[in-house]
Amino acid sequence: MKPRWRKILADMGSNLPRFVLVILSLAVGMFAVGMITGGYVLTMEDMQAGYDSIQSADIRITTEDFDENLVERVRRLDGVTAADGEKQLQVQMLNGDGEWKNLVIKVLPEDGQKINKIDLLSGQMPVGEEILIDIHRDIALETGDSLLIQLPSGTERELTITGQVRDQTIGTTGNTYFVSPSYGYIPFDTLLYLEQEMTYDTLLVRVDPALSEDEVKTLSDEIVGNVEQSGLDVSSITILDSGSHPNLGYVEAIGGLLAVLGFLTVFLSGFLVFNSMSALFAQQVQYIGIMKAIGAKKSDIIKMYMVLILVFGLIALVISVPLSAWASSKLGDFLGMRLNFLSGGMRYVPLVVILQIVIALILPQAAGIIPILKTSNISVQEAITTTGIDAGDVGTRWIDRLLQKIKGLSRPMLVSLRNTFRRKGRFILTLITLSLGGAVFISTFNVRASLESYTYQVSRYILADVSIDFDRHYRIDEIERMAMSVDGVAGVEPRGRAITQLLNEDGEAAESVEMTGAPPESDLIEPIMMKGRWILPGDRNAIVLNEAFAVRYPDLDVGDTITLYVNRREVDWTIVGFFQFLGTDSFNAYVPLDYLNEITGHYGQAINFQIIASPEISRAGMQEDLARRLDDFFRTEGYALKSSTATDEIWGNATEGLDTLTTFLLIMSGLTALVGSISLAGTMGMNVMERTRETGVMRAIGATDWQVMRLVIVEGLIIGVLSWFFGSLLAFPISYLMSYIVNSSIFGVAGEFIFDVSGFLIWLGMVLLLSLLASIIPANNAAKLTIREVLAYE
Amino acid sequence: MQTNNSKENQPLIRIEALVKTYETNAGPLDALKAIDLTVYPGEYIGVIGKSGAGKTTLINMISGVDKITSGWVNVNGTEVQELNEDGLAQWRGLNLGVIYQSFNLLPMLSLRDNITLAMDFCGKYQQGKSEKKAMELLESVELAEHAHKPPAYISGGQKQRVAIARALANDPAVILADEPTGRLDSATSETIFAIFNRLIDQGKTILMVSHDRTLSRRVERVIELADGQIVSDTGAVHGS
């Protein structure tokens, strides 16, 4: 090996901590980029592949009970590639914690699932009085345990759990994934045991993927025609996006955050590497001078150090590629678990590895070229006659003049303050790095606050404490009277529901609209209006539509008339407003309850009742207990109760999805804080190294160990506080961008921009702690030097 | 063994009207004021003078490590001021050996590698040969047994002997030494002078800078600088 390369190798050995810092800086950047891009690619790939494999339905039609003959007829239609019958029952189950919870039981088709297939994760398929349980809710029971369920009639049945499954279609219809109840899966034959007819009530259809959107609608109309020819009434028709997992919005939101994080990380890492390289080359100035004195050309010097940097990049690459692949897979596992898809495990994504190789080849060279050129340009004379290390001077710039005007501080404090600004370039880069890290950290809190604010606003659609659903309509005055007799009930408000259909161009029923009838004077709904107004007392055929209409039919406006197929007849409605809900693709509408009842013929009746608890119950947080008591009460009284749910429970489940994002945001903030503190540690280390001689002079004139340490620590803290200030300012645009990305992806709306003061305060505490930690080792090193060592330095 | 006959040859170093002015905050500072100097092969010259007289600046002008303000320097037929930085580095590596007061050895390399590095940059020897040559040079300064140690493990005098060996790596005609014994005690300094004497006997030309006036007893020719000018030049073979 040539001596010049031995010199490079020896450099690495003799100055290991600084080289490690440079490699670490690079590795952190490459790791973050690898984890971020890898995590995103793996998640998208796994989610898509998993969802493709289950053959999710393109069309879902609910109707009256039917048998396999109808399914077979639909299968034979042109354009249909598969059809399955399905049946769902809503029952109550006693979970392992002794609580009664809602359970939706899906019936597996007789001839096996061809559509909306479930993935068997453990155990075996059920036979007879057995059931599989979906893993998305923990029911505190295991395979082999007996599950007690209560049928709508009040009859109790026991089923043995034979295993766990993942059903990726949860959330495609009705409730979103996070508010969905537990799901169970039974064989077709078990229907009888559960007091059900051996029939289906839902038709699932997959169509030829080559069909256009319009052709799918036409085919859907044809299927509906077939169903109706069989003498069955269609309740709802839903055309689904079979290509997109129901939780894709969350992955997109995370992807958006990852993109912001990735960009910032490369930026931060670039600064960090530049800072570390500058320090490294500052140390090499004298050696470069010597080499030039004995015959090294500038090109020799540049080549030597570029190769050194290449080695850094390669070492960082070797460290970061497997680590980031592992972290990506863990991120994928985490998201898979939380967002209901099967993670494909650890694997290398060629695109990500190529990206990391490109970064390894470009980033360090780009960050290193300026310090290398700067150092290699120093004349031999300058390099040899000085130590080659410029500690930076307190000069005549405005900042220096300003600092000199500061009075009233102790001398050591003034020294720390002025030292902070001596190496202005390095100070600015460190400040930017730490400020950006802080800004991301603070922003994560703001994004979380923004999400929570939106969720809170959405929760204002259901201000009641308990929501009771019946299987059939009951007289409003009767249910009110009965409910009010239950201890803790302070008020009752009825809701009507109807599945209605939009009309296609031929005037036939097409996609379903879930219509809710509410009293216009209700104060249990606080809607978020996008346009127009809510229904008011005196309205008759007024309708307010959700954001799905605004997205799918942008021409619709307030004052327009929309015709819906309700209760087998066409009804014209006057649009009075558009409201924002959960960013769902499903069509929802609110209308005056009395008018809805007039159309459906359920005069003075309702199917859902909103219960207001007494202040004592609310204060004690006993809504779930009240829900359970109401459940018992109505079942005992012989009512066909479907469910009785505390609204707290609904929103508790809804925020689970947001918790995933929050956890993710915390990981983001941790990474940026790490990069920022490495940067600060590097800077403080360099500053101390450069000022070794000054430290010696101070020791020689009487400075104690602690006084020397304090100078360094205070300097670190000053940088920390300044970075907090600038980070707080930067947090405004970054929070806005991140909130926009997350809210748009999940709710389909920009959402409110909220500032959470706790983020600012926590980061202040953290940055002070990090500054202290980042300064303490360099400060200790400075204090450990003896005067002889220090003054002999050079 | 060289004889004084070699000193009859063409000049090895010719300096004419050499001016070096530094720009300082207090205004321009003339470090060298129109210096004329001729050095012949095999001469052993001591440049003496007080601090700030311009001794080191003169060495730097000859070695090309600092820019000439005006005038010209010709070393062995090469116009130093006409070379660019890379050209100067290569030329310096092949034609000059520079020795500094503070040794300037690379601490991360062994003694042998400090010497072979100079050969590596100039590409004069192949690797195996450069190592053999480095060992010969270390033997010549009686440090062969320390060849694989880093500089931190040897004394100041030993370091300066290694610096001399490194200066000879590419067998240059001229050795420039800037206060080579400035950091050494008198006993150690004697060993350095002994090596220099040997080099002169081998025909090398040495230009040595010192503030120590007793140097005049050890060299053949003494040039005294004061305020950037040559105030005396004694013992020159041809006069200058």
Side-chain angles (χ1 to χ4, degrees), chain A residues 621-639:
Chain A
M622 293 174 67
Q623 289 91 336
E624 282 194 38
D625 174 65
L626 178 62
R628 185 63 214 160
R629 284 192 287 115
L630 283 163
D631 188 286
D632 286 345
F633 175 76
F634 281 108
R635 284 184 202 281
T636 311
E637 294 295 325
Y639 288 89

Side-chain angles (χ1 to χ4, degrees), chain A residues 714-762:
Chain A
V714 169
E715 187 182 336
L717 290 176
I718 291 172
I719 297 175
V721 170
L722 284 172
S723 79
W724 174 79
F725 174 74
F726 290 111
S728 299
L729 292 182
L730 265 175
F732 284 77
I734 292 177
S735 300
Y736 184 82
L737 177 68
M738 283 166 57
S739 295
Y740 179 83
I741 291 170
V742 173
N743 280 306
S744 302
S745 303
I746 296 176
F747 304 123
V749 64
E752 199 182 353
F753 189 33
I754 302 280
F755 275 93
D756 181 357
V757 75
S758 59
F760 292 85
L761 295 178
I762 292 172

Side-chain angles (χ1 to χ4, degrees), chain A residues 75-133:
Chain A
R75 276 184 195 136
R76 285 198 293 269
L77 292 175
D78 276 350
V80 171
T81 57
D84 264 352
E86 189 191 71
K87 190 170 209 168
Q88 289 192 14
L89 319 171
Q90 190 161 331
V91 300
Q92 295 281 301
M93 66 161 176
L94 187 63
N95 70 16
D97 296 327
E99 298 165 330
W100 284 95
K101 295 279 181 186
N102 290 332
L103 172 72
V104 175
I105 295 179
K106 278 190 184 182
V107 180
L108 301 168
E110 266 184 296
D111 54 350
Q113 282 188 306
K114 287 169 279 301
I115 299 177
N116 286 1
K117 294 180 195 168
I118 50 172
D119 302 308
L120 184 65
L121 300 177
S122 64
Q124 55 196 34
M125 294 303 282
V127 182
E129 292 162 16
E130 292 179 338
I131 189 167
L132 287 166
I133 297 290

Side-chain angles (χ1 to χ4, degrees), chain A residues 417-454:
Chain A
L417 191 60
R418 289 175 189 173
N419 276 346
T420 309
F421 296 94
R422 278 171 66 178
R423 290 303 303 253
K424 293 176 183 64
R426 183 185 305 156
F427 164 70
I428 289 169
L429 281 186
T430 309
L431 195 63
I432 291 174
T433 313
L434 206 51
S435 301
L436 270 176
V440 172
F441 187 90
I442 294 167
S443 299
T444 58
F445 283 81
N446 294 335
V447 171
R448 193 182 64 171
S450 174
L451 284 171
E452 282 175 355
S453 157
Y454 192 79

Side-chain angles (χ1 to χ4, degrees), chain B residues 13-86:
Chain B
I13 302 171
R14 282 195 298 142
I15 297 172
E16 280 185 23
L18 177 63
V19 174
K20 176 62 186 178
T21 305
Y22 291 108
E23 293 300 326
T24 69
N25 289 337
L29 174 75
D30 295 326
L32 293 175
K33 300 169 184 168
I35 298 270
D36 292 325
L37 179 67
T38 305
V39 176
Y40 286 87
E43 281 195 292
Y44 189 10
I45 302 172
V47 181
I48 59 170
K50 290 179 182 169
S51 179
K55 308 182 297 291
T56 299
T57 307
L58 178 63
I59 293 273
N60 288 343
M61 296 297 109
I62 296 170
S63 62
V65 300
D66 205 353
K67 294 255 185 256
I68 292 167
T69 305
S70 67
W72 58 268
V73 176
N74 183 301
V75 179
N76 210 10
T78 302
E79 299 287 337
V80 175
Q81 66 279 356
E82 287 177 5
L83 293 174
N84 62 21
E85 209 188 329
D86 278 354

